[in-house]
Amino acid sequence: MRSHFQSSLFLLQSRSELIINKSVKMSLPHLQKKCTLKLITGFMKHIDTVYQKNFFLFFTQVFNDPIHGHIELPPLLVKIIDTPQFQRLRKIKQLGGGYYVFPGASHNRFEHSVGVGHLAGELVKALRAKQLEEPSLNSESLINDRDVLCVQIAGLCHDLGHGPFSHVFDGMFNPQADPNGEKWEDASILMFDHLVDDNKLTPVMNEYGLITEGDNENDLVFIKEMIKGSVKNNSPLNEQLYKGRNNEKSFLYEIVANKQNGIDVDKFDYFARDCHHLGIQNNFDHRRFIVFARVCNVDGQLHICSRDKEMANLYDMFHTRNSLHRRAYQHRVKMAVEIMIKDALLKADQDKHFIKWAEGKACCLSKAKKHKEAYTKLTGRGFEVWCLKLTTHLTFKTSELVYTCILFVLLVAKFDYGKNNEDPISNYTYFYSKFNPTIGFKIKPEEVSNLRPECFSEKHIRVYWKRRNDKRLEDAKKCFEAVKKVLLFYIMTVVLLHKQQCGGKISIQAAVKNCILSES
């Protein structure tokens, strides 16, 4: 395409020179010919420069992904991928300690993030295409090109804040349970700000039509809000929920990190990718969901809804999530490996000069998130190199590295469908029918399949004894069995009391279920 354009320019320039030559022969002096040629040549160079700029401005790049096939990303996303802050994700394992249990789980956060950016673009483009068929929803301004690009960037950068071994590091130094601590999504937002500032991408984003300044429709704010995730919409309709976009576009926040019902492109990618590398069957078809997804009006608020007949596909999604947690994410050996990794991380945190990012500048592991340059250099490979040096030089004893003074670790493995003990589909998901595709609704109880779990959440208490050859292991087992009997007696007492409060009109199973709901 470009060579054809340049040949046309050359032909135009040659014809211009021919016209000038003829005019010179007729009456123009030699000086006029020379000045005119110079002006035309400069004009042609300007046209070629503008063409090159615009050509590469919209030139996409293709990635060959084992999950999604050939992924085509716009050049702004490619510029983000080429930054050191994003390339760092190549060295962070997607499943943390799972690689030490499942040999195929060697994939990293890098390819997952690229996949989420791709799926985010696919979903928002599909929603826009369907809205063009519904003029009643003001479809022309509902999703514009800026919105599409922002959603893709949010999907691409949503995992920038993960530390070494992913959630292992996040649970220790970016705790979600601590109200004063920072979630890993907050760390992703900090890293995104650092990525934009360190690589001077603000003017580049402006070239692509994004608005990076001001309080009204600020695209940088919009991207960071999408990384943070949608909020639970319990506020009045006239209250502004977000800063980056108005309430009319609040459904866009459900694409990357959906806190309403957990149906988002982040899960679409890691379900497919993790199942592929773990060798576990994935029953959920995210491509089908994208085909049937559309924006509908639900009590005056726009939400992403699925076709009513797709309810079974969504139940497969949550069942796949539960299966992955049982068989891989909270595998008992995998959790044991991560306990040892945590002990090593705690030992590494004692080194105040663990991360050096400039001359005279260093910090420990737990302080890395406060220094963006240090966090950029913090990867799983760096930690593995540190462990290798530690064992080579015998700075500490191996027993000090792997074991602490605590002989056992008590963990609670939680297996659910994503919303504690509630059905995420019948309670939080909206559907539409082919007879009225613009209005969303919840599935009626009588239309929901009876082949559902009676309980959508359960917890397993696990005890990991660190010293396998310790003679006190048998005594510990006996103590734990005694504790189990006490816990069982306590639970049954609470259940019977609850049944008595209900006048004995409910079964033991229903009483147990109600107790779990009240506890959660």
Side-chain angles (χ1 to χ4, degrees), residues 201-241:
L201 290 182
T202 302
V204 179
M205 290 180 170
N206 293 332
E207 288 184 10
Y208 287 91
L210 299 185
I211 300 175
T212 58
E213 296 179 355
D215 298 330
N216 186 26
E217 297 285 320
N218 190 315
D219 291 327
L220 288 178
V221 174
F222 179 41
I223 292 169
K224 289 185 282 188
E225 285 179 334
M226 284 191 289
I227 294 174
K228 184 77 174 178
S230 62
V231 298
K232 291 184 178 180
N233 187 9
N234 297 323
S235 57
L237 293 177
N238 56 356
E239 183 178 344
Q240 186 68 24
L241 297 176

Side-chain angles (χ1 to χ4, degrees), residues 145-352:
D145 292 337
R146 282 175 47 221
D147 297 332
V148 172
L149 192 55
C150 288
V151 169
Q152 289 177 305
I153 294 173
L156 187 72
C157 299
H158 77 288
D159 271 352
L160 285 176
H162 276 298
F165 303 100
S166 294
H167 291 290
V168 177
F169 182 89
D170 302 331
M172 296 177 65
F173 302 117
N174 293 331
Q176 291 190 1
D178 184 6
N180 299 319
E182 295 178 346
K183 298 181 180 180
W184 63 265
E185 291 97 337
D186 296 325
S188 295
I189 292 173
L190 292 175
M191 286 299 293
F192 177 73
D193 285 333
H194 179 52
L195 182 151
V196 173
D197 296 337
D198 188 52
N199 298 279
K200 298 177 175 59
L201 290 182
T202 302
V204 179
M205 290 180 170
N206 293 332
E207 288 184 10
Y208 287 91
L210 299 185
I211 300 175
T212 58
E213 296 179 355
D215 298 330
N216 186 26
E217 297 285 320
N218 190 315
D219 291 327
L220 288 178
V221 174
F222 179 41
I223 292 169
K224 289 185 282 188
E225 285 179 334
M226 284 191 289
I227 294 174
K228 184 77 174 178
S230 62
V231 298
K232 291 184 178 180
N233 187 9
N234 297 323
S235 57
L237 293 177
N238 56 356
E239 183 178 344
Q240 186 68 24
L241 297 176
Y242 308 98
K243 296 180 179 179
R245 292 293 187 272
N246 55 33
N247 287 350
E248 185 185 23
K249 297 188 177 185
S250 61
F251 65 90
L252 293 173
Y253 293 88
E254 301 174 10
I255 295 177
V256 177
N258 190 349
K259 301 296 177 62
Q260 303 284 340
N261 53 24
I263 303 173
D264 51 51
V265 294
D266 179 27
K267 293 183 179 62
F268 295 176
D269 183 84
Y270 79 70
F271 285 170
R273 196 173 302 276
D274 292 352
C275 285
H276 173 79
H277 289 281
L278 290 168
I280 296 176
Q281 182 67 37
N282 178 23
N283 295 324
F284 172 64
D285 188 353
H286 64 267
R287 299 179 184 88
R288 185 175 176 87
F289 175 87
I290 293 175
V291 168
F292 286 100
R294 66 186 308 129
V295 178
C296 300
N297 191 319
V298 182
D299 298 328
Q301 190 77 32
L302 295 180
H303 289 280
I304 298 176
C305 301
S306 185
R307 180 75 179 276
D308 48 4
K309 68 176 183 178
E310 291 304 300
M311 180 175 54
N313 189 30
L314 292 179
Y315 271 116
D316 282 340
M317 173 191 143
F318 288 104
H319 181 73
T320 299
R321 179 187 185 277
N322 180 52
S323 179
L324 282 170
H325 273 274
R326 288 180 181 277
R327 301 169 65 181
Y329 301 157
Q330 299 188 61
H331 188 281
R332 60 182 185 83
V333 180
K334 181 250 190 185
M335 302 301 289
V337 170
E338 290 186 348
I339 289 173
M340 292 187 283
I341 293 174
K342 289 179 179 179
D343 288 342
L345 286 172
L346 290 174
K347 182 64 67 175
D349 192 44
Q350 298 176 9
D351 185 358
K352 297 182 179 180

Side-chain angles (χ1 to χ4, degrees), residues 50-83:
V50 171
Y51 167 76
Q52 291 181 28
K53 180 180 178 180
N54 291 333
F55 181 78
F56 288 105
L57 192 66
F58 301 102
F59 186 74
T60 59
Q61 187 165 330
V62 177
F63 296 78
N64 190 6
D65 184 72
I67 307 301
H68 307 298
H70 290 87
I71 294 175
E72 193 173 10
L73 296 180
L76 180 56
L77 269 69
V78 177
K79 290 181 182 294
I80 294 174
I81 290 173
D82 289 340
T83 61

